[in-house]
């Protein structure tokens, strides 16, 4: 409650402006250390180019009185994993692999977030119950890291009804998979989400969902 984490993103910030960034950052560091000691719990610099990541001289210029463990450098492939060590998924922006969206009118930090561990070369299913008719279910899913098969479908309770495929795709390369989707429930059933991990590394999956009342379209246009 008495300290904060400062995140600096170096994405697309290279070339002639890098020197200016260093200067501004050093001034900010000095100001905070001299006038607000201990207010910064951690500095996290993300999307750091390789040459700066391995440069001890660069990190030493940033440090004045505090040890180097106050600063963490995260390469592009480790941004989400690093930030999740300090920031909860509901408070981490979706562009960094979290669930938070700016000016979000669907979810807030009060909505419960579920976490799954997806084993290497394994699959998992997320089942969202949908027994109530006449409502819309909204969900968020984030898979930390890439190379996954992702599929969403609505499975009705009535065996005589048809299953509805909502999304079916593969995510290769990049850093994460972040999905938000919704579906209007006109018969009881469930939303089934299938995720398969293609690589030899465990991954984390975060998801949340909610049900909201929906006014049928024909009533909106009824005169």
């Amino acid at each position: 409650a008495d300290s904060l984490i400062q995140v600096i993103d170096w994405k697309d910030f290279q070339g002639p402006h890098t020197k200016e960034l260093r200067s501004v950052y050093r001034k900010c560091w000095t100001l905070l250390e001299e006038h607000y000691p201990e207010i910064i719990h951690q500095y996290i610099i993300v999307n750091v180019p390789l040459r700066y990541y391995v440069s001890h001289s660069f990190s030493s210029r940033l440090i004045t009185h505090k040890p180097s463990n106050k600063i963490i450098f995260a390469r592009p492939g480790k941004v989400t994993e690093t930030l999740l060590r300090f920031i909860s998924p509901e408070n981490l922006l979706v562009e960094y692999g979290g669930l938070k969206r700016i000016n979000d009118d669907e979810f807030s930090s009060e909505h419960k977030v579920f976490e799954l561990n997806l084993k290497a070369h394994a699959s998992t299913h997320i089942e969202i119950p949908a027994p109530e008719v006449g409502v819309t279910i909204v969900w968020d899913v984030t898979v930390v890291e890439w190379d996954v098969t992702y599929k969403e479908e609505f499975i009705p309770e009535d065996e005589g009804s048809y299953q509805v495929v909502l999304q079916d795709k593969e995510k290769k390369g990049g850093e994460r998979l972040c999905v938000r989707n919704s579906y209007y429930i006109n018969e009881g059933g469930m939303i089934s989400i299938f995720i398969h991990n293609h690589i030899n590394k465990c991954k984390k999956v975060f998801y949340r969902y909610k049900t909201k009342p929906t006014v049928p379209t024909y009533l909106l246009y009824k005169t």
Side-chain angles (χ1 to χ4, degrees):
D2 299 324
S3 62
L4 56 90
I5 294 172
Q6 184 177 32
V7 179
I8 298 175
D9 192 346
W10 272 47
K11 186 177 182 180
D12 300 324
F13 198 94
Q14 301 181 36
H17 300 291
T18 304
K19 184 176 181 180
E20 181 181 354
L21 175 64
R22 292 186 194 179
S23 176
V24 172
Y25 186 75
R26 283 197 298 269
K27 290 178 182 178
C28 291
W29 175 281
T30 302
L31 178 66
L32 291 172
E33 290 293 280
E34 290 181 353
H35 300 281
Y36 306 97
E38 303 300 330
I39 195 172
I40 300 294
H41 173 70
Q42 200 79 53
Y43 287 93
I44 307 175
I45 305 176
V46 301
N47 292 311
V48 179
L50 178 61
R51 61 183 179 276
Y52 293 109
Y53 181 76
V54 299
S55 173
H56 296 288
S57 60
F58 171 59
S59 59
S60 64
R61 292 176 186 176
L62 296 178
I63 301 169
T64 54
H65 306 97
K66 297 300 176 182
S68 59
N69 59 11
K70 293 273 286 188
I71 302 177
I72 294 177
F73 295 92
R75 296 294 315 286
K78 296 290 185 179
V79 171
T80 302
E81 179 183 336
T82 301
L83 292 177
L84 284 171
R85 290 164 50 193
F86 302 94
I87 305 172
S88 60
E90 64 269 25
N91 291 314
L92 181 62
L93 288 172
V94 67
E95 64 188 274
Y96 294 114
L99 298 171
K100 183 178 179 61
R101 299 171 188 262
I102 301 299
N103 300 321
D104 192 354
D105 57 359
E106 292 289 358
F107 290 98
S108 69
S109 57
E110 302 301 319
H111 288 92
K112 184 177 180 179
V113 175
F114 301 89
E115 179 179 340
L116 295 174
N117 290 316
L118 182 55
K119 295 181 179 179
H121 298 292
S123 301
T124 188
H125 280 90
I126 298 172
E127 296 183 352
I128 302 176
E132 185 180 357
V133 176
V135 299
T136 295
I137 294 181
V138 186
W139 61 90
D140 278 337
V141 180
T142 289
V143 183
V144 180
E145 296 199 35
W146 57 96
D147 287 335
V148 297
T149 296
Y150 180 88
K151 183 177 182 179
E152 299 173 342
E153 58 183 340
F154 173 73
I155 302 177
E157 292 177 350
D158 187 349
E159 295 181 356
S161 297
Y162 292 100
Q163 297 183 8
V164 180
V165 176
L166 306 176
Q167 285 197 75
D168 189 357
K169 59 184 178 181
E170 287 191 12
K171 175 70 172 178
K172 293 185 177 181
E175 190 174 338
R176 65 195 71 88
L177 172 71
C178 299
V179 175
R180 169 170 292 183
N181 205 357
S182 62
Y183 186 70
Y184 175 72
I185 307 301
N186 55 16
E187 62 176 320
M190 71 174 180
I191 303 296
S192 176
I193 300 174
F194 168 82
I195 306 171
H196 177 72
N197 182 7
H198 291 289
I199 64 175
N200 189 30
K201 183 180 179 181
C202 295
K203 301 176 181 177
K204 287 187 178 296
V205 179
F206 300 103
Y207 71 97
R208 60 185 174 181
Y209 63 89
K210 75 170 189 176
T211 300
K212 63 179 183 179
T214 305
V215 179
T217 304
Y218 71 90
L219 287 181
L220 294 176
Y221 294 98
K222 186 177 181 179
T223 58

